[in-house]
Amino acid sequence: MNSMRIRLVVGCLVWIGVGAFVVTRVSSRWSPSDDAPARQLVRFASKSPEVWTLQFQDWYVARIGDPIFWRDEQGELRQIGMIGQVESSESVNYSAVWTRWATATFFSSAPPIESDAGLVLYETPASMRWVFESLLPPRKREELARFIGQILAENSDVLLEQLRPVVLEALSDTGVMMRDELAEVIVARADQWRALGERYKKEIIEEELVPLVNTEIWPVVQEEMTPIIQKVGEKVWQEASVWGFGWRAVYDTLPLPQRDLTKSEFSRFVQQTALPIIAAHVPEFLEAQQRILVRVVENPRIRQFATDALYRISNDPELRDLIVEIVHEAIVENEEFHRKLDEIWNREDIRQALRVSDKRFGPYVEMIGEKLFGSPTSGVTPEFARILRHRVLLKDMRWLELTTTAGYPELAVAQAVIEGTNTLPVVFSGSPSDGDNPFFIEARNRK
């Protein structure tokens, strides 16, 4: 038994030695640019992972396991490492935390870490817009649009003859009822709307728009309108009779029975002389107004003001709460509205139309659902899987990319305050496009 163990140990040592010899000999014959799978396997077996300290430029969210990517010569993102530790070297927290310190473990397949290297932190967006665009990328949108168009074309008789009149009538009745309920609740909150309007008037119009009009809009109006006004004014003045106005003004000051000759002469002058002159220059006024409008719209400060004002109003908590209260009171919690709604949609003609619709379009709805979400046989779609991983399993939330100060100048600022050796700076760059999101690329490649 002991001799068998000895032979086993000796055999293992011999084969390990042979393997090491082959790896050394073969790897020495490859050029550094050779990146074949065999070369990668040899490098993986012969090179140990590297651990670097990460110094964040600010407080960022990070988590153990967050992947690190590198863009190769073909421009493709390849994972070369991951976050190995966050918060501190003693921490064992595997949750996402706010931190300014972490460690990165680089795989043996990672490129050499240069002296000007650094990491850029990205996050996958959490907005509903991202969910929609992830579930329906352009290619799938076009595919579904063609499929739905085909369905409508094949079933136009049912849609036009049976469903359309009944459904439109029901929707019309529902819309009228919703309008009446909302109008009543909105009127009941007139004081809140008035207070909100006064706040917008002060904060947006008086404090921001009026100064903007004085500095940006009014100079444009003056520049465009002054030449035309001067031209019209000169023609009007040339046609005005100083003598005619003068003696009538003197006559009106005398104690004579007939008065208001100046007013009558001015009215005649306006109607017969001034207005025709102005009318002849109306095209010039219109052209000037168009130029003013174009210049105002193209003004970056005005465009920024419009964007900021719309964003502030749409994200105003007071306005949002008021709208939610109105919708809840008028629709969600309105029992009378629900009763009337049931009466509309439970009419026999509508129920019959819906039965026809369900029988005719039910299979199509299932097919659309399979295109969007997948099926028990084919599994979930890559797009839906990506959303599930991100929104339900809380994965693919963030990643880092290894780059250099030449490719990302912000790293130079962070690198200037690096403390210690074997340390890489990390800066935050928000959410890139899906074309640069490695999780999206992986999902797309799994199709």
Side-chain angles (χ1 to χ4, degrees):
M1 187 69 177
N2 291 334
S3 61
M4 183 178 296
R5 287 184 178 177
I6 292 173
R7 286 198 297 270
L8 180 62
V9 170
V10 171
C12 290
L13 292 175
V14 169
W15 281 110
I16 290 174
V18 171
F21 174 77
V22 171
V23 167
T24 303
R25 297 289 295 178
V26 172
S27 61
S28 63
R29 298 182 62 178
W30 273 317
S31 64
S33 60
D34 192 352
D35 202 26
R39 171 69 172 174
Q40 297 179 23
L41 181 61
V42 171
R43 188 166 58 234
F44 178 80
S46 59
K47 181 181 177 183
S48 301
E50 295 184 39
V51 178
W52 286 69
T53 301
L54 304 184
Q55 182 173 314
F56 295 171
Q57 189 182 34
D58 201 347
W59 289 91
Y60 301 144
V61 176
R63 182 179 183 177
I64 295 176
D66 285 343
I68 301 173
F69 292 87
W70 170 68
R71 199 175 297 275
D72 61 17
E73 296 177 354
Q74 288 72 37
E76 297 183 0
L77 290 172
R78 293 169 44 195
Q79 185 174 356
I80 57 170
M82 65 180 183
I83 297 294
Q85 191 76 3
V86 293
E87 291 189 297
S88 69
S89 57
E90 296 80 17
S91 175
V92 292
N93 190 354
Y94 281 84
S95 303
V97 297
W98 288 91
T99 181
R100 297 196 68 167
W101 180 95
T103 62
T105 300
F106 289 97
F107 306 149
S108 56
S109 59
I113 308 298
E114 305 293 344
S115 59
D116 61 344
L119 294 171
V120 181
L121 176 64
Y122 296 96
E123 285 186 351
T124 302
S127 62
M128 289 305 300
R129 177 180 177 182
W130 174 85
V131 172
F132 173 79
E133 293 180 349
S134 299
L135 189 62
L136 284 171
R139 183 193 59 79
K140 181 156 286 189
R141 267 178 267 176
E142 295 175 1
E143 179 184 346
L144 282 177
R146 288 194 300 268
F147 183 66
I148 294 174
Q150 181 182 351
I151 295 173
L152 297 178
E154 294 176 353
N155 299 273
S156 58
D157 56 334
V158 177
L159 292 171
L160 296 176
E161 297 176 7
Q162 300 183 37
L163 295 180
R164 183 174 176 272
V166 178
V167 173
L168 287 181
E169 181 182 357
L171 290 175
S172 177
D173 294 343
T174 303
V176 171
M177 187 170 60
M178 291 179 61
R179 180 199 63 191
D180 295 340
E181 296 292 338
L182 288 171
E184 183 177 345
V185 177
I186 290 174
V187 170
R189 283 174 165 72
D191 293 340
Q192 292 176 266
W193 286 109
R194 190 176 300 107
L196 199 61
E198 290 295 328
R199 181 162 67 83
Y200 289 152
K201 178 182 176 182
K202 181 178 184 301
E203 295 178 358
I204 297 179
I205 297 179
E206 295 180 358
E207 296 181 1
E208 297 183 16
L209 181 58
V210 171
L212 197 63
V213 169
N214 293 333
T215 59
E216 301 293 331
I217 299 178
W218 182 240
V220 174
V221 174
Q222 287 181 313
E223 183 179 340
E224 295 290 347
M225 285 296 188
T226 298
I228 305 175
I229 294 175
Q230 289 178 343
K231 183 191 299 185
V232 173
E234 291 175 359
K235 290 187 177 181
V236 170
W237 178 252
Q238 291 173 359
E239 297 294 331
S241 174
V242 178
W243 167 252
F245 281 109
W247 78 262
R248 285 174 174 79
V250 174
Y251 185 88
D252 287 340
T253 60
L254 299 176
L256 298 174
Q258 187 177 0
R259 297 294 183 91
D260 297 332
L261 292 181
T262 305
K263 181 178 179 181
S264 300
E265 174 61 16
F266 182 76
S267 177
R268 183 201 65 77
F269 175 76
V270 169
Q271 295 295 326
Q272 298 182 11
T273 305
L275 288 181
I277 294 175
I278 295 175
H281 290 80
V282 165
E284 297 179 50
F285 281 104
L286 294 177
E287 292 176 1
Q289 290 176 354
Q290 292 176 355
R291 292 194 299 271
I292 292 171
L293 182 60
V294 170
R295 292 179 61 180
V296 168
V297 170
E298 293 179 349
N299 188 302
R301 291 191 59 189
I302 297 174
R303 294 173 64 177
Q304 187 62 45
F305 163 77
T307 302
D308 294 344
L310 182 61
Y311 178 82
R312 287 170 55 186
I313 293 174
S314 61
N315 290 274
D316 186 351
E318 184 179 353
L319 176 62
R320 184 170 59 247
D321 293 343
L322 180 58
I323 293 175
V324 170
E325 289 178 10
I326 291 173
V327 172
H328 268 272
E329 183 176 343
I331 297 175
V332 179
E333 300 175 355
N334 190 336
E335 296 182 359
E336 181 64 17
F337 174 80
H338 293 168
R339 186 186 64 79
K340 293 179 179 178
L341 194 64
D342 289 339
E343 290 180 359
I344 292 174
W345 289 95
N346 282 314
R347 293 201 315 246
E348 183 57 31
D349 57 341
I350 295 180
R351 293 174 65 88
Q352 177 62 27
L354 294 178
R355 282 194 291 268
V356 172
S357 172
D358 182 63
K359 183 178 180 180
R360 190 74 172 263
F361 295 100
Y364 294 121
V365 174
E366 293 181 4
M367 294 172 66
I368 292 175
E370 291 180 0
K371 290 180 180 295
L372 289 176
F373 308 109
S375 67
T377 56
S378 62
V380 297
T381 62
E383 296 84 5
F384 188 50
R386 180 188 179 201
I387 294 173
L388 290 177
R389 284 178 59 84
H390 181 256
R391 303 305 291 269
V392 178
L393 301 179
L394 302 181
K395 295 180 178 294
D396 305 342
M397 303 288 287
R398 68 195 65 80
W399 73 96
L400 299 97
E401 182 180 341
L402 178 67
T403 183
T404 63
T405 55
Y408 210 94
E410 287 83 350
L411 283 172
V413 179
Q415 197 174 54
V417 294
I418 284 292
E419 300 175 358
T421 59
N422 212 38
T423 302
L424 293 174
V426 180
V427 297
F428 182 69
S429 186
S431 303
S433 63
D434 278 341
D436 289 328
N437 188 316
F439 309 124
F440 176 81
I441 294 172
E442 290 178 8
R444 182 179 59 198
N445 291 340
R446 287 196 299 269
K447 293 181 182 179

